[in-house]
Amino acid sequence: MFLASWVLLVGLVYLVDKRAVRYFVAIYWKSERLVAYVARFTEKLSFIPLRAYLAAVVVLFLMPVFLAMPLVRPDGQVQLLSGFLYMLVGGTLSAIKSLAGGRPVEEAAAHSAGVTPIVPGVTLPWDQLPYLAVAIVVSVVLHELMHGYAALRYGIPVKSVGVFSLLYVFSGAFVEPDEESFKKASTEAKVAVLASGVAANVVLAVAAMALGILGAWAGLQGAVFGVSALGVNTGDRVLEIHGCGMSERVYTPDDFLTKVNVLAGMGPLLGVNKTVSCRPGDKVTLVAGSWLGRYSVEVDYVNFTTPPRVNWLYVEGSLYKGGVRAGDVIKRVVGCGVEAEVNTSGQLISALQLMKQRCKPGDVISVDVERNGTLATFNITLVEKGGSIFFGLGPGSLPLWGYDEGPIRRSQLYNTDFAKLIFWMIVVNYGLAMLNALPIYPLDGGQLLAAVAQRKLGEKNGKALVTAVTWVLAAMLVFNAALGVLGEQYKILQSIK
């Protein structure tokens, strides 16, 4: 279907203008007539003062690479992403140190900047291509439109506007300013023109985040069920969870699974401090949505619990040192005034959390386990780490609902179409802003560095500086991308649904 759609597109373009088709694998088309549309857009926004515009685009240009980018979740929580230049340099040095220390490639990749090339069908599932394509078209067109706007505002003529594509994967648009006029333009004009595209992508990314929040409140997000489970029909989405003191909206599949596991008492293993007080017999209400409206499903809390079976332990923790091993099912824990029969992973976490408050390093607790059908008791001396009792449990040490146990798995949950489009609008715009702002020639950041460096250092020294910076940063990008492939970090993209 991918190749057939490409052949159809190329065929249509060939009928309109055969010069725009290159060997039937690429499209390159430009037009002088489209410049009129850029001129009209510029005229409508000509009321913006140039100094204010320059200041705004410079700040926005610096954000993704040199300052920080805000990441706003659908629930309104804000996280700051460090400037990518620091991540790239720091990740490269950390990865090289890991490799020099004899660490495997996978571990070195985990310390890198996380650069993963997006290649449909290889690193990205085909079903994500439509959302990615829409995001690319919108992002690239507005990126180039703002280049043209800034050029015309500073009196630099625009010769043509065009588009290009190589099998969909490498696609974009471009605005072609008059080269001689651009060379003669002031440094201020060059900075404004070069920074405008990145600024547009930053604004689009933030706007997409804001739209995601509005869509979440309108019920356009949620966890879409790929199978019928818990009374929710196939294709319907869970929008809210209520019960045991929890009343939360659901934004994504992972958000749904996190909140369900918090209900089951597994919050501490997921890094979530929120606790709930569910007991056997309590009910949990799922609010689901379909094209025809919303409905509620009441589910017994026990449906979300998992058995206290140990998957793995930190070897320096109390449980492992005391004899507990992967595969053991913990039945009972006693010590420090706590005596608890354990039937679920959540009950085990609650008992150990209480012991953590009451015990001190060196105290001995008793743990009953079932191993290969036989009961065994271990007397465990508690050890300390970081100023508190360390049992040796970590993420995934006990079964998680939706990942290890339960009627539905993460692979059977999907994002809504709205959530997918918002996701790719954020990723594509942040990616374009981050890449283009890097001081690598001939990217926007490299050209901007060249304009400033040649004015301050002279043409020869400025070119030498730009060349050196370009080769160093380009090598870092290639190194990190190679680690991302060899270390199989692309599997994160492959798992997106």
Side-chain angles (χ1 to χ4, degrees):
M1 290 178 64
F2 174 79
L3 292 175
S5 67
W6 174 258
V7 171
L8 177 61
L9 175 63
V10 169
L12 292 173
V13 174
Y14 186 83
L15 291 175
V16 175
D17 185 358
K18 61 177 66 177
R19 294 173 301 175
V21 176
R22 303 288 196 273
Y23 306 106
F24 285 89
V25 296
I27 295 171
Y28 180 85
W29 177 75
K30 65 179 181 178
S31 170
E32 290 77 18
R33 288 181 295 178
L34 291 178
V35 175
Y37 293 98
V38 179
R40 290 179 193 173
F41 175 79
T42 302
E43 185 178 348
K44 289 182 179 180
L45 295 182
S46 60
F47 62 89
I48 301 175
L50 283 181
R51 287 192 176 182
Y53 178 79
L54 177 63
V57 296
V58 167
V59 171
L60 291 170
F61 177 88
L62 294 174
M63 283 175 59
V65 170
F66 301 97
L67 301 176
M69 273 285 288
L71 180 61
V72 186
R73 293 173 37 173
D75 57 5
Q77 295 186 35
V78 181
Q79 176 186 354
L80 287 179
L81 299 178
S82 301
F84 182 70
L85 184 62
Y86 310 115
M87 295 169 59
L88 180 63
V89 175
T92 300
L93 295 176
S94 181
I96 291 175
K97 183 178 179 181
S98 296
L99 291 173
R103 301 293 184 183
V105 173
E106 293 80 4
E107 185 174 333
H111 290 92
S112 70
V115 178
T116 303
I118 297 177
V119 182
V122 180
T123 64
L124 183 73
W126 285 113
D127 61 353
Q128 297 295 311
L129 185 59
Y131 311 98
L132 175 63
V134 171
I136 288 175
V137 169
V138 173
S139 307
V140 171
V141 167
L142 288 176
H143 177 106
E144 296 300 331
L145 181 62
M146 293 311 297
H147 279 316
Y149 168 81
L152 292 178
R153 284 297 307 273
Y154 279 90
I156 302 172
V158 173
K159 294 169 59 178
S160 64
V161 177
V163 295
F164 63 90
S165 181
L166 175 63
L167 289 172
Y168 293 131
V169 179
F170 301 103
S171 302
F174 60 88
V175 171
E176 183 184 12
D178 182 74
E179 190 173 346
E180 288 302 316
S181 298
F182 184 77
K183 285 182 179 179
K184 295 176 182 178
S186 66
T187 303
E188 177 184 323
K190 291 178 180 177
V191 169
V193 172
L194 294 169
S196 290
V198 170
N201 291 133
V202 172
V203 171
L204 277 174
V206 175
M209 296 174 199
L211 185 59
I213 295 175
L214 294 176
W217 281 97
L220 298 177
Q221 302 218 39
V224 180
F225 276 39
V227 296
S228 181
L230 301 173
V232 179
N233 299 322
T234 304
D236 291 351
R237 61 194 187 279
V238 173
L239 302 170
E240 300 174 19
I241 300 178
H242 304 281
C244 306
M246 174 183 282
S247 184
E248 298 277 355
R249 289 177 177 267
V250 172
Y251 303 103
T252 64
D254 292 317
D255 184 46
F256 170 68
L257 292 181
T258 296
K259 286 168 179 173
V260 166
N261 280 289
V262 169
L263 270 177
M266 303 298 288
L269 289 190
L270 296 172
V272 179
N273 294 325
K274 185 172 183 177
T275 58
V276 293
S277 54
C278 280
R279 298 180 300 275
D282 285 349
K283 303 295 182 182
V284 176
T285 300
L286 303 179
V287 178
S290 67
W291 290 111
L292 300 177
R294 297 189 180 191
Y295 59 92
S296 296
V297 177
E298 194 172 67
V299 183
D300 195 303
Y301 154 72
V302 175
N303 284 288
F304 298 117
T305 60
T306 59
R309 182 187 66 251
V310 177
N311 290 334
W312 68 275
L313 295 167
Y314 286 108
V315 296
E316 66 270 25
S318 304
L319 293 175
Y320 189 90
K321 285 177 174 281
V324 180
R325 294 293 182 267
D328 290 349
V329 178
I330 298 179
K331 295 290 189 178
R332 187 168 179 262
V333 291
V334 179
C336 304
V338 177
E339 184 174 348
E341 299 292 333
V342 177
N343 297 305
T344 69
S345 295
Q347 290 175 345
L348 175 60
I349 293 294
S350 296
L352 295 182
Q353 289 287 94
L354 187 57
M355 284 183 168
K356 205 170 185 179
Q357 297 172 8
R358 297 184 178 182
C359 296
K360 61 182 184 297
D363 286 347
V364 177
I365 65 171
S366 173
V367 176
D368 296 345
V369 306
E370 181 182 313
R371 180 181 295 174
N372 299 323
T374 303
L375 289 175
T377 300
F378 296 97
N379 293 318
I380 295 174
T381 302
L382 299 178
V383 299
E384 178 186 18
K385 183 179 180 181
S388 63
I389 301 299
F390 183 53
F391 288 102
L393 296 173
S397 286
L398 298 171
L400 293 173
W401 194 92
Y403 298 100
D404 308 295
E405 304 282 343
I408 190 168
R409 298 300 176 92
R410 175 61 183 87
S411 59
Q412 297 170 319
L413 295 172
Y414 300 84
N415 281 291
T416 64
D417 292 328
F418 173 82
K420 292 174 185 176
L421 182 58
I422 291 296
F423 172 81
W424 284 112
M425 282 294 294
I426 295 170
V427 170
V428 168
N429 277 287
Y430 177 64
L432 285 174
M434 173 196 73
L435 184 64
N436 278 288
L438 282 172
I440 296 177
Y441 198 86
L443 298 175
D444 294 339
Q447 292 189 58
L448 197 152
L449 175 63
V452 175
Q454 288 178 25
R455 179 181 177 182
K456 298 292 184 181
L457 305 176
E459 185 172 353
K460 182 178 179 180
N461 292 333
K463 282 185 177 180
L465 175 63
V466 172
T467 300
V469 172
T470 294
W471 279 105
V472 170
L473 293 182
M476 288 185 179
L477 269 180
V478 172
F479 173 73
N480 280 269
L483 276 182
V485 174
L486 296 175
E488 298 187 338
Q489 286 187 317
Y490 60 85
K491 287 187 176 180
I492 298 174
L493 283 177
Q494 289 180 333
S495 66
I496 293 174
K497 291 188 176 183

